[in-house]
Amino acid sequence: MNQPLAYIHPEAKIAQNVVVEPFTTIDKDVEIGEGTWIGPNVTIMAGARIGKNCKIFPGAVIAAQPQDLKFAGEKTTVHIGDNTVVRECVTVNRGTVDKLKTVVGSNCLLMAYVHIAHDCVIGDNCILANTVQVAGHVEVGDYAIVGGSSAIHQFVRIGAHAMISGGSLIRKDVPPFVKAGREPLSYAGINSIGLRRRGFSDQKISEIQQLYRLLFMSGLNNNAALDQIELELAPSPERDEVVNFIRNSGRGVIKGYGRNGNGNGE
């Protein structure tokens, strides 16, 4: 159902049962899947690929050109998965020549005023709370939660199932399964409540806790701690995910947090 006061370019590919409310603009080279609701005063620009059963709230701008001075007009896209909710005034910019696309997964919640810059990859089932600002080339793993008013530096990676407190300045990589808080951003334990909600057993949570004790509380540097983890802990998908994440970190990972308030993770 398309309101007569909305503008939809004739070349846009809109599924039959998409609802487009008044004063919304949908450009050419846009695809929107079945069951999606596009609220009033939304702007969807060329290159948007929006999945099924999404909700896009007023003021959102999807697939605007990247805010990157190196952008030279190359053809790039934004991909938003199924069942994702994009709240008021969210902006999701297209990719650049780096990845050629910006991706937001399925079943995500982007709360009001979130900004996702060019070439970011946001996994499935992620929650970015109000006014989270995500710079270019950031990667966020599945089920990650980022608290409100946080700012994520370009090229940072956030691991799956991580939970980051509100108001955080995220300058380094945050490994999988952890909670992070304080300033500078530091390890604050594992996200045990979130892991239980997602079906992780007590034994598996205990294994992850032991892994991070070795990494952040043993006094070893990261390389030595990873060697110790591989020596002492049996291989598992979770162990290997953490080890590979840290070994492949380009910006370095957040530190642990000692009793004296000083980081001890590097």
Side-chain angles (χ1 to χ4, degrees):
M1 181 180 67
N2 299 331
Q3 293 287 342
L5 295 177
Y7 171 75
I8 302 175
H9 193 282
E11 295 178 16
K13 297 179 181 179
I14 313 295
Q16 289 294 323
N17 59 347
V18 170
V19 174
V20 181
E21 301 288 5
F23 310 114
T24 280
T25 297
I26 299 177
D27 206 345
K28 63 181 178 181
D29 190 27
V30 168
E31 299 177 10
I32 301 177
E34 297 176 359
T36 287
W37 174 77
I38 310 294
N41 296 294
V42 172
T43 302
I44 302 179
M45 306 183 80
R49 308 286 185 264
I50 299 172
K52 299 177 182 178
N53 302 313
C54 294
K55 293 183 178 180
I56 314 291
F57 279 73
V61 180
I62 309 298
Q65 287 189 1
Q67 300 176 115
D68 185 336
L69 295 177
K70 299 185 298 298
F71 180 70
E74 55 266 28
K75 182 178 173 62
T76 59
T77 54
V78 161
H79 296 256
I80 296 177
D82 298 340
N83 308 305
T84 283
V85 176
V86 177
R87 292 303 304 249
E88 295 81 359
C89 300
V90 167
T91 53
V92 185
N93 288 354
R94 283 162 39 204
T96 69
V97 70
D98 176 49
K99 289 190 176 72
L100 299 177
K101 62 184 178 180
T102 301
V103 178
V104 177
S106 297
N107 306 302
C108 291
L109 171 57
L110 309 182
M111 295 188 191
Y113 293 94
V114 164
H115 171 66
I116 298 178
H118 57 89
D119 303 293
C120 290
V121 179
I122 312 298
D124 297 334
N125 303 289
C126 292
I127 299 174
L128 275 58
N130 296 304
T131 71
V132 168
Q133 305 295 288
V134 186
H137 314 280
V138 165
E139 298 180 12
V140 179
D142 296 345
Y143 291 98
I145 299 174
V146 182
S149 300
S150 296
I152 308 177
H153 194 284
Q154 64 179 353
F155 294 102
V156 157
R157 297 182 305 146
I158 296 173
H161 300 278
M163 183 173 184
I164 301 173
S165 68
S168 294
L169 301 177
I170 307 166
R171 306 177 181 94
K172 291 193 173 185
D173 293 351
V174 179
F177 313 118
V178 307
K179 296 180 295 185
R182 308 182 180 99
E183 173 58 30
L185 192 68
S186 307
Y187 170 74
I190 72 163
N191 185 17
S192 55
I193 293 175
L195 294 176
R196 287 192 180 95
R197 287 174 177 168
R198 293 163 203 146
F200 285 71
S201 67
D202 289 343
Q203 179 182 351
K204 183 59 64 177
I205 291 171
S206 179
E207 291 173 5
I208 295 170
Q209 285 174 327
Q210 178 59 22
L211 185 157
Y212 279 109
R213 287 191 190 103
L214 290 169
L215 182 65
F216 286 129
M217 302 174 69
S218 65
L220 299 172
N221 65 36
N222 284 345
N223 287 331
L226 292 176
D227 291 341
Q228 196 71 18
I229 287 167
E230 291 184 314
L231 181 65
E232 292 189 14
L233 301 182
S236 70
E238 294 77 16
R239 188 205 75 165
D240 294 345
E241 183 175 352
V242 173
V243 169
N244 291 334
F245 183 97
I246 295 171
R247 286 218 163 106
N248 292 319
S249 174
R251 293 191 55 80
V253 299
I254 59 172
K255 293 186 176 184
Y257 201 79
R259 292 181 180 177
N260 62 0
N262 295 319
N264 63 353
E266 293 187 348

